[in-house]
Amino acid sequence: EESGGYMLTLKLFELSRTHSPYEQLLRAATAPMRELVDNIRESCHLSVLHRDQLLVLTQVDAPTAIRLSVEAGSLHSAVDTLSGQVLLANSPDAERDELLSRRAEYLRKSAEERGAFLAMLAKMRADGWGYAENARFVGGRDLSVPVGNARGRTRAVLTIASLRGTHTAYADLFELLPRLQKCAEDIGRIAGIA
């Protein structure tokens, strides 16, 4: 007051947390994700596209001693991760192409590699899911499905992240696809994006 200057407070931080564009989605995802993880005993995470990258909104860890965990709030390549690829596959073509035109990891690909990448995205869109093994590290495997519907705009992706090994109950992650799809549908319905 004496100097007439301004001082930073936590008000903007408080407002951003109160009015997060993802708050409704996070609230909708909490119970279905917890139920899924309790039943399948594998970790899962919910992600969105944010400023040309994949943002992990929330992670529910498997209730096991050995598990794969992805940190909530972490940013990853939308091009090099399965979650990002499923989101790109289910984005409007113009939006997808615009994002890809700004990403160095896509631009470094040869014309043939770009064609193969776009074909892979088209297959993911047609299938309604994506699967990857050893994509980011040896022994990792991911199974992802979009949250939302084809008529609207997919806003999120739900992914089971698992480690291949003798500790897991599922030698074939595809056994979990119907349960993962149901969880994604429940989240979409609750959030109003189904």
Side-chain angles (χ1 to χ4, degrees):
E1 289 182 7
E2 295 85 33
S3 70
Y6 293 95
M7 187 169 105
L8 290 176
T9 68
L10 294 176
K11 188 63 176 176
L12 284 177
F13 176 75
E14 180 184 325
L15 287 172
S16 72
R17 300 291 296 160
T18 305
H19 301 290
S20 165
Y22 306 121
E23 198 61 40
Q24 180 181 353
L25 186 58
L26 285 168
R27 277 195 306 272
T30 301
M33 286 179 67
R34 172 57 51 207
E35 182 180 345
L36 175 68
V37 168
D38 287 346
N39 288 329
I40 67 172
R41 302 184 64 75
E42 292 282 0
S43 299
C44 74
H45 57 273
L46 183 72
S47 306
V48 296
L49 286 176
H50 177 72
R51 295 187 181 156
D52 294 350
Q53 291 186 291
L54 181 79
L55 169 65
V56 177
L57 286 181
T58 188
Q59 156 83 24
V60 178
D61 288 328
T64 57
I66 299 173
R67 63 182 169 263
L68 182 58
S69 183
V70 181
E71 185 176 354
S74 59
L75 292 169
H76 305 270
S77 168
V79 175
D80 294 336
T81 60
L82 181 67
S83 298
Q85 292 164 1
V86 169
L87 280 167
L88 289 171
N90 290 280
S91 294
D93 292 348
E95 184 178 312
R96 177 204 63 212
D97 293 345
E98 184 180 330
L99 184 148
L100 290 175
S101 73
R102 295 187 300 262
R103 298 303 305 172
E105 59 269 46
Y106 178 75
L107 297 173
R108 279 193 293 267
K109 295 179 183 295
S110 68
E112 185 178 317
E113 290 169 328
R114 288 181 194 178
F117 183 81
L118 294 174
M120 177 187 69
L121 295 184
K123 182 171 177 8
M124 286 180 184
R125 179 184 285 189
D127 291 344
W129 53 267
Y131 178 76
E133 279 194 35
N134 305 321
R136 309 248 347 235
F137 55 88
V138 175
R141 55 191 186 154
D142 295 329
L143 182 63
S144 296
V145 297
V147 176
N149 67 45
R151 292 181 312 280
R153 185 173 154 212
T154 299
R155 293 181 46 191
V157 63
L158 186 64
T159 302
I160 294 172
S162 177
L163 295 168
R164 181 172 292 287
T166 56
H167 67 280
T168 182
Y170 302 97
D172 187 355
L173 214 54
F174 284 104
E175 292 177 48
L176 303 178
L177 183 59
R179 290 191 247 181
L180 184 63
Q181 288 170 324
K182 179 176 183 329
C183 184
E185 288 168 11
D186 290 345
I187 293 168
R189 181 181 40 75
I190 295 166
I193 58 173

